[in-house]
Amino acid sequence: MKIRTRLTMQFLLIGGVIMILASLSIYYFSAKYRQEAFFDRLRAKARMTSNLLIEAKLNPGLIEQMERNNPVKLNSEKIVIISSIDDTVFTTDYNNEIRFSYVIIANIRAGKQIIYKQDDYDIMGSLYRLSNDRYVVLAAAIDSEGKRHLEKLKLILLIVCLVSILIFTVAGWIYAGRALRPISNVVKRVDQISVTSLNLRIDEGNAKDEIGRLAATFNRMLSRLEKSFTVQKDFISNASHELRTPLTAINGQLEVISLKDRTNDEYKSAIKSVLEDTRSIIDLANRLLLIARTSAEGPVHSSSKIRMDEILWQSRDELVRFNKNYQVNIILDDSVDDESQMTVTGDESLLKVAISNLMENGCKYSNDHTVHVRIRSSDSHIRITFKDNGIGITPEEQLKVFEPFYRSLNAKSFPGTGIGLLIVKQVIENHNGSITLTSEPGHGTEVVITLPLSQV
Ligand code: ADP
């Protein structure tokens, strides 16, 4: 069901219930008032007749005659007076229409005032005392005027109820439409936004009411989407470019070599060169896969306990095996007492990729090809510092180097793809750790990673 319909129905329900309750109470109190007023008149009439008959000792015939000519006589009025020995001493009920049982008479004689209905008649019975005599006085009449008024009131209230329900429906529909119009505008605008028009924004109005805040939230989300789409587009074009370079090189070499017959040595050197290019393609593909994996998986859920010092030694050995001129000095700080202060929980292969990358960068970007690795530990964290005396990074570029494919200007002459630090950052953050980089161009770079220790 549409919100507009639901709001209208709620509007109608609240208004309708209030109207019906108000009408019912008006009708109930009017009916009660009519009855009380009518019984007051009956009581007065009974008292007056009893006074005339019993106290003033007027002749019943005379009273009847007076009654017949009484201009304020009640409609179908009947008065019956019964003495204590059950004699009907006075009656205007000539056709014996008013019925009363002995129980009613007994109750009246016991001092109770009795009120009851018979057909259209409202009947009231009361006791009239004079010295030792006790008379039962029954007064009855039909309140046709009062009932007519009540019927009219009922009709008026019914019409008022129906009309107000109609008004509530129309007013609710208009009101809900007005209240929801800004939302409809937002929906229309959002409908216009597609992948190709992420630069469009929603009108925030005064940006203070709920709809304005909703629009502002949408706009912030659109900005984030636009940014991540741009990042993705750049990423894809950069990745394609990086892949195309070695592929073009392979293609060129194969074309040149196939132009004419070559010597064995020439073939061997061409194959070696092609192999190097394919290796770099495989390396890049693996790194791209790693980026996809680390960004998609989020926090690492593995519960494996990993010794960081072992990872450092293994990474160092592998790096030095393939790069004979690289040197990695690992120093264990005094703050590390036992192996529990070097044990973290996580994914061993990912942590190894991150550590190797930081070691390789330190060696690659420094003339002495040396990186100093220092392990420090506190009660809850292990902190590993990678320090080199290399080319350094300018302050403006220090944040950018964590962006995909970004390479600082002074690093262009070194081999690399510019995605290593991004992987390192994602791996460390996925292990609930943090990474900071400080650097001075021409003097060197220091990268510090901090990881939470495994809980024993
Ligand atoms: P790559 O080394 O393959 O280019 P990285 O993502 O590892 O990619 O590094 C991104 C960039 O950060 C590098 O291109 C380089 O400009 C800079 N960089 C990283 N580590 C260092 C370092 N130790 N010294 C100087 N520059 C560095």
Side-chain angles (χ1 to χ4, degrees):
M1 193 189 289
K2 272 164 67 177
I3 295 183
R4 188 177 187 182
T5 320
R6 208 181 312 150
L7 276 180
T8 309
M9 282 177 71
Q10 281 170 0
F11 207 74
L12 177 67
L13 193 76
I14 295 170
V17 167
I18 291 173
M19 276 312 294
I20 289 169
L21 282 181
S23 304
L24 285 178
S25 356
I26 290 172
Y27 184 80
Y28 171 77
F29 287 112
S30 302
K32 208 165 153 216
Y33 173 76
R34 178 211 64 85
Q35 204 177 35
E36 276 168 11
F38 190 67
F39 279 120
D40 278 350
R41 289 169 70 192
L42 268 184
R43 193 178 298 115
K45 202 65 204 238
R47 178 147 285 278
M48 195 191 79
T49 313
S50 314
N51 277 345
L52 289 175
L53 182 81
I54 302 160
E55 224 170 301
K57 295 198 182 342
L58 284 191
N59 185 313
L62 186 63
I63 299 172
E64 276 169 44
Q65 205 171 347
M66 280 164 66
E67 272 303 312
R68 231 172 275 137
N69 299 325
N70 188 351
V72 288
K73 206 172 148 203
L74 298 172
N75 184 26
S76 308
E77 179 189 301
K78 311 265 183 279
I79 307 273
V80 179
I81 302 178
I82 300 161
S83 72
S84 48
I85 51 164
D86 288 338
D87 250 6
T88 305
V89 288
F90 178 82
T91 182
T92 52
D93 182 17
Y94 310 113
N95 301 328
N96 287 333
E97 284 176 53
I98 304 305
R99 291 184 294 278
F100 44 86
S101 65
Y102 283 108
V103 182
I104 292 176
I105 300 294
N107 272 328
I108 297 171
R109 281 194 178 128
K112 284 186 194 158
Q113 194 173 68
I114 302 287
I115 285 169
Y116 65 99
K117 278 181 179 295
Q118 179 200 306
D119 306 326
D120 287 341
Y121 283 100
D122 283 320
I123 306 167
M124 199 188 81
S126 54
L127 193 66
Y128 188 90
R129 293 172 218 251
L130 187 75
S131 45
N132 284 336
D133 286 335
R134 283 144 43 101
Y135 296 90
V136 170
V137 184
L138 292 166
I142 299 173
D143 186 12
S144 34
E145 199 183 335
K147 284 180 181 159
R148 219 175 24 253
H149 278 150
L150 264 188
E151 281 304 309
K152 260 191 203 154
L153 180 70
K154 199 200 271 177
L155 188 71
I156 290 168
L157 288 175
L158 198 74
I159 293 170
V160 168
C161 267
L162 289 175
V163 171
S164 40
I165 282 174
L166 197 74
I167 292 172
F168 277 126
T169 314
V170 176
W173 185 254
I174 294 171
Y175 170 81
R178 266 201 209 152
L180 295 172
R181 192 171 304 142
I183 297 189
S184 310
N185 292 343
V186 170
V187 171
K188 263 190 224 146
R189 188 69 172 157
V190 171
D191 265 348
Q192 292 168 355
I193 299 171
S194 68
V195 187
T196 50
S197 56
L198 279 175
N199 57 326
L200 292 182
R201 291 293 177 269
I202 299 159
D203 181 14
E204 294 180 14
N206 61 10
K208 281 194 187 115
D209 58 17
E210 285 78 357
I211 308 291
R213 293 217 308 270
L214 177 76
T217 311
F218 257 123
N219 283 343
R220 282 199 298 277
M221 188 189 77
L222 282 171
S223 300
R224 287 197 298 272
L225 274 179
E226 192 185 8
K227 200 172 151 205
S228 74
F229 260 77
T230 315
V231 169
Q232 255 187 36
K233 259 198 310 205
D234 289 351
F235 186 89
I236 290 169
S237 73
N238 282 325
S240 320
H241 177 77
E242 291 296 331
L243 282 169
R244 208 176 46 194
T245 311
L247 282 172
T248 317
I250 292 172
N251 193 49
Q253 288 175 70
L254 293 179
E255 261 175 13
V256 170
I257 202 97
S258 60
L259 282 178
K260 55 176 181 157
D261 284 344
R262 306 277 176 181
T263 63
N264 267 357
D265 283 348
E266 281 173 323
Y267 280 125
K268 269 187 193 161
S269 109
I271 289 171
K272 203 173 155 221
S273 168
V274 167
L275 264 177
E276 266 170 29
D277 285 332
T278 42
R279 240 181 249 127
S280 75
I281 294 173
I282 292 168
D283 183 54
L284 181 64
N286 284 340
R287 280 165 180 258
L288 290 175
L289 278 175
L290 257 179
I291 292 180
R293 191 180 145 195
T294 48
S295 58
E297 283 178 4
V300 171
H301 296 297
S302 163
S303 54
S304 312
K305 302 234 185 301
I306 295 145
R307 285 273 301 273
M308 284 311 286
D309 55 330
E310 283 175 8
I311 291 210
L312 285 166
W313 291 115
Q314 283 169 17
S315 306
R316 188 195 91 126
D317 291 350
E318 276 167 32
L319 187 67
V320 174
R321 197 179 325 133
F322 292 111
N323 304 276
K324 300 283 181 230
N325 54 343
Y326 282 8
Q327 208 181 326
V328 181
N329 297 327
I330 300 176
I331 305 148
L332 209 60
D333 195 80
D334 291 344
S335 58
V336 186
D337 289 336
D338 59 43
E339 56 189 54
S340 71
Q341 285 179 295
M342 290 183 288
T343 310
V344 302
T345 310
D347 186 310
E348 186 173 347
S349 62
L350 289 179
L351 285 171
K352 206 163 156 190
V353 169
I355 298 290
S356 304
N357 204 89
L358 292 174
M359 278 183 183
E360 189 181 350
N361 278 357
C363 297
K364 186 166 69 178
Y365 295 112
S366 49
N367 286 332
D368 59 1
H369 301 300
T370 306
V371 65
H372 304 278
V373 183
R374 180 181 279 271
I375 311 170
R376 265 172 288 182
S377 188
S378 69
D379 286 346
S380 56
H381 286 82
I382 181 167
R383 174 191 267 252
I384 308 171
T385 310
F386 301 81
K387 190 171 174 10
D388 64 67
N389 301 313
I391 58 170
I393 309 166
T394 59
E396 307 81 61
E397 290 180 303
Q398 281 172 23
L399 275 180
K400 289 190 184 162
V401 290
F402 290 99
E403 288 173 12
F405 299 103
Y406 187 86
R407 308 199 70 214
S408 59
L409 283 175
N410 59 357
K412 297 277 187 207
S413 56
F414 296 82
T417 50
I419 50 177
L421 280 185
L422 172 69
I423 296 173
V424 175
K425 189 167 185 275
Q426 283 183 181
V427 168
I428 298 301
E429 286 177 354
N430 287 357
H431 283 80
N432 300 318
S434 63
I435 177 165
T436 54
L437 182 147
T438 44
S439 184
E440 208 184 319
H443 286 92
T445 303
E446 186 179 89
V447 179
V448 182
I449 59 166
T450 309
L451 287 166
L453 288 175
S454 164
Q455 302 299 317
V456 197

